[in-house]
């Protein structure tokens, strides 16, 4: 369909161009033919005048007639049997004055002639008339050839356009077949055709990049579902076991046992609620529709610290060293700082402070907890990962994974290290905007 439409447009444009060129050519040919006719008439008149000057009669020509016009208006044919031309006022003026020329068109016996009146040296003038038949034949022959030439040229353009478009659109058709296969089978491993260096190649590479992104997204979704099902199974098993125990022992359990079971139910339900909340945050990333903007990390850290102090009563210190603005999604950055503070407070002993330090475009949260083993510092940002030293601390294992996804989506990086004197340092960094240092 696309091939036919493009061919139709090309043929229409070619036909229009050919018709325009033919019209211009016809006008130019008509002008040239007219000039040649006038030149032939001038040459014939000069020949007749020259022959009459030596008392000779010019040989007759089938397409022309000549006659002598005297000053008193008398007309004498130079060839016997030829019709006499009626002189016009312009021709009579030339014959009487002996100066100038007169050109005009006349019709004799239904035939159109071009007439040139030229003065004779001894007085009077000669009138030379030439039939337009030869010029009209050339004009009509060219005029009738224009449609056939236009049709032939248009047909050739259509054929060449059809063949050229078949070659040009062949990669597009291969790409379309591949995308239809992917759409029908949902098989994201389907290979796309090789990409060339032209615009179609650029389109193919764009499709390949999109397909690779879909593959990664599907792989992440499958991994998330697998990990989530594994992590949800433990608290759900605990909740179900406690509920079944209450059901079987209804009325027979001691109040202290019932209180313990109910406490377990509440704890596991809260853990499930937190886990589901983290899963939703990780799966949807509610900040994806937010446009990047200039973000002051110090201001974000101070706001998060203020909320944390009011909610937990813990000490959170914020310091900065040559801070600079970064370009990121503001709500995503805020979410990352909240997760880092929550993670640090969870692992820090009660009564110990948590420190937030900003340097350039880098934000670091330091706690006084058990720390992170060197071999685990890259794994702590994986989903559901729980280090050996933190197995006993409640949590979903998704907080730092969310930080990783939000930061890297904006071109930043995350890091984890051991803190001097014990504890851990976990944070992120963004490329800084040169010259946009925050003034404090």
């Amino acid at each position: 369909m696309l091939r036919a439409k493009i061919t139709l447009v090309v043929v229409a444009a070619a036909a229009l161009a050919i018709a325009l060129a033919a019209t211009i050519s016809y006008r130019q040919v008509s002008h040239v033919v007219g000039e040649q006719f006038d030149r032939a008439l001038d040459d014939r008149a000069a020949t007749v005048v020259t022959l009459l000057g030596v008392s000779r009669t010019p040989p007759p020509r089938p397409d022309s007639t000549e006659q002598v016009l005297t000053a008193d208006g008398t007309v004498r044919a130079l060839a016997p049997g030829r019709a006499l031309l009626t002189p016009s006022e312009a021709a009579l003026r030339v014959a009487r004055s002996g100066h100038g020329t007169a050109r005009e068109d006349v019709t004799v016996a239904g035939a159109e002639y071009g007439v040139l009146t030229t003065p004779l040296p001894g007085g009077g003038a000669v009138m030379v008339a030439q039939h337009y038949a030869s010029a009209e034949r050339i004009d009509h022959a060219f005029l009738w050839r224009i449609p056939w030439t236009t049709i032939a040229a248009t047909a050739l353009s259509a054929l060449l356009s059809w063949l050229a478009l078949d070659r040009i659109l062949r990669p597009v058709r291969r790409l379309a077949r591949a995308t239809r296969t992917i759409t029908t089978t949902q098989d994201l491993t389907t290979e796309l055709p090789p990409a060339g260096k032209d615009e179609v190649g650029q389109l193919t590479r764009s499709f390949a990049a999109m397909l690779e992104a879909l593959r990664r997204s599907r792989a992440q979704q499958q991994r998330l579902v697998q990990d989530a099902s594994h992590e949800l199974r433990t608290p759900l098993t605990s909740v179900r076991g406690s509920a079944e125990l209450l059901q079987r022992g209804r009325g027979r359990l001691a109040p202290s046992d019932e209180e313990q079971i109910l406490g377990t139910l509440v704890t596991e339900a809260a853990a499930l609620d937190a886990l589901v909340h983290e899963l939703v945050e990780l799966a949807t990333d509610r900040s994806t529709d937010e446009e990047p903007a200039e973000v002051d990390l110090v201001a974000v850290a101070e706001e998060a610290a203020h909320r944390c102090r009011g909610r937990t009563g813990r000490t959170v210190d914020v310091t900065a060293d040559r801070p600079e603005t970064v370009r990121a999604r503001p709500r995503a950055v805020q979410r990352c700082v909240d997760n880092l503070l929550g993670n640090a407070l969870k692992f820090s002993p009660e009564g110990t402070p948590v420190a937030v330090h900003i340097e350039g475009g880098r934000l670091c949260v330091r706690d006084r907890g058990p720390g992170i083993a060197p071999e685990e510092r890259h794994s702590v940002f994986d989903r559901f990962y729980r280090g050996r030293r933190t197995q006993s601390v409640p949590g979903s294992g998704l907080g730092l994974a969310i930080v990783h996804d939000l930061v890297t989506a904006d071109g930043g990086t995350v890091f984890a290290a051991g803190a001097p004197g014990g504890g851990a340092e976990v944070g992120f960094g963004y490329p800084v905007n040169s010259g946009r240092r925050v003034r404090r």
Side-chain angles (χ1 to χ4, degrees), residues 381-435:
F381 295 100
D382 294 340
R383 297 172 182 178
F384 302 108
Y385 182 82
R386 304 292 298 277
R388 296 193 309 272
R389 305 177 184 179
T390 59
Q391 293 289 336
S392 60
V393 181
S396 64
L398 291 174
L400 294 185
I402 293 175
V403 173
H404 172 272
D405 289 355
L406 293 179
V407 171
T408 55
D410 287 335
T413 57
V414 295
F415 61 89
E425 291 183 347
V426 184
F428 57 83
Y430 290 102
V432 298
N433 296 321
S434 181

Side-chain angles (χ1 to χ4, degrees), residues 317-378:
D317 299 323
V318 178
T319 59
D321 183 16
R322 299 186 302 277
E324 297 190 25
T325 61
V326 298
R327 186 163 185 81
R329 294 170 294 168
R331 291 202 305 271
V333 176
Q334 178 182 332
R335 172 67 172 165
C336 291
V337 177
D338 287 340
N339 279 17
L340 291 178
L341 284 176
N343 193 71
L345 290 173
K346 181 168 58 177
F347 294 113
S348 291
E350 190 69 28
T352 59
V354 170
V356 182
H357 182 69
I358 299 96
E359 182 175 356
R362 179 184 172 99
L363 184 145
C364 174
V365 177
R366 178 185 300 174
D367 62 50
R368 298 299 178 182
I372 304 173
E375 65 274 11
E376 296 179 342
R377 290 172 185 173
H378 292 290

Side-chain angles (χ1 to χ4, degrees), residues 49 69-72 87-104 116-127:
V49 170
L69 176 62
T70 61
D72 60 3
S88 63
E89 288 297 328
L92 289 173
R93 282 196 299 271
V94 172
R96 291 167 186 160
S97 64
H99 299 289
T101 59
R103 292 180 185 271
E104 54 195 323
L116 174 63
T117 302
T118 303
L120 289 170
V126 62
M127 298 179 65

Side-chain angles (χ1 to χ4, degrees), residues 232-249:
L232 286 170
R233 188 174 293 114
T234 299
L236 283 175
T237 301
S238 178
V239 169
R240 181 177 179 179
S242 299
E244 289 177 348
L245 181 59
L246 279 177
Q247 184 181 36
R248 289 195 304 269

